[in-house]
Amino acid sequence: MNEIPGPQFLRRVDPTRNMARFYILLLQPTLFGETSLVRQWGRIGTRGRQKVEYFTADHEAASALSMLAAQKMKRGYAGDDFDVAGGTRVRR
C-alpha cells in the first residue's frame, strides 16, 4: 500500500445542546490484500458504534475517507492531529 492517509479524529462539542460526539476514520489492510475503511462514532466517553467497509483499491478507500471527513467537517466536526508513532495527541 502506498501513501495511506493517517487516522482522522474528529469531534463535535456544543455544551448548549448537550452534544459531545466523536468520529474516527482510519484505513487498515486486510489479510486478503484489500483495504478496509473503519468508521467509529458515538458520544465522547462511550465506546460508540463501528462500521467497516472494504475496498479493492487503496485510492478508492483513501478517497472515501477524505469524502467522509469533509462531510463531517461541514456538519461542524473539528479535527485533531494525532502523532501515531509517538502516541501523543496534538491540538490544532
Side-chain angles (χ1 to χ4, degrees):
M1 287 188 218
N2 299 334
E3 296 186 29
I4 293 180
Q8 297 281 322
F9 296 91
L10 307 171
R11 64 172 68 183
R12 183 177 178 188
V13 178
D14 185 356
T16 61
R17 297 175 59 193
N18 194 25
M19 181 189 306
R21 300 178 182 169
F22 71 91
Y23 207 93
I24 301 171
L25 297 163
L26 62 113
L27 298 179
Q28 293 183 333
T30 67
L31 294 175
F32 304 106
E34 297 178 325
T35 302
S36 62
L37 170 59
V38 181
R39 300 193 275 172
Q40 186 176 2
W41 68 93
R43 186 168 174 83
I44 293 175
T46 67
R47 185 172 168 184
R49 295 177 160 219
Q50 182 172 312
K51 181 176 183 177
V52 181
E53 294 180 65
Y54 299 97
F55 297 89
T56 55
D58 296 344
H59 69 295
E60 291 173 355
S63 144
L65 183 144
S66 298
M67 184 183 69
L68 285 167
Q71 286 176 353
K72 292 300 171 185
M73 288 190 178
K74 283 183 184 178
R75 293 189 57 107
Y77 283 80
D80 288 345
D81 288 334
F82 190 76
D83 178 12
V84 176
T88 58
R89 190 173 293 269
V90 179
R91 299 289 298 180
R92 280 190 204 182

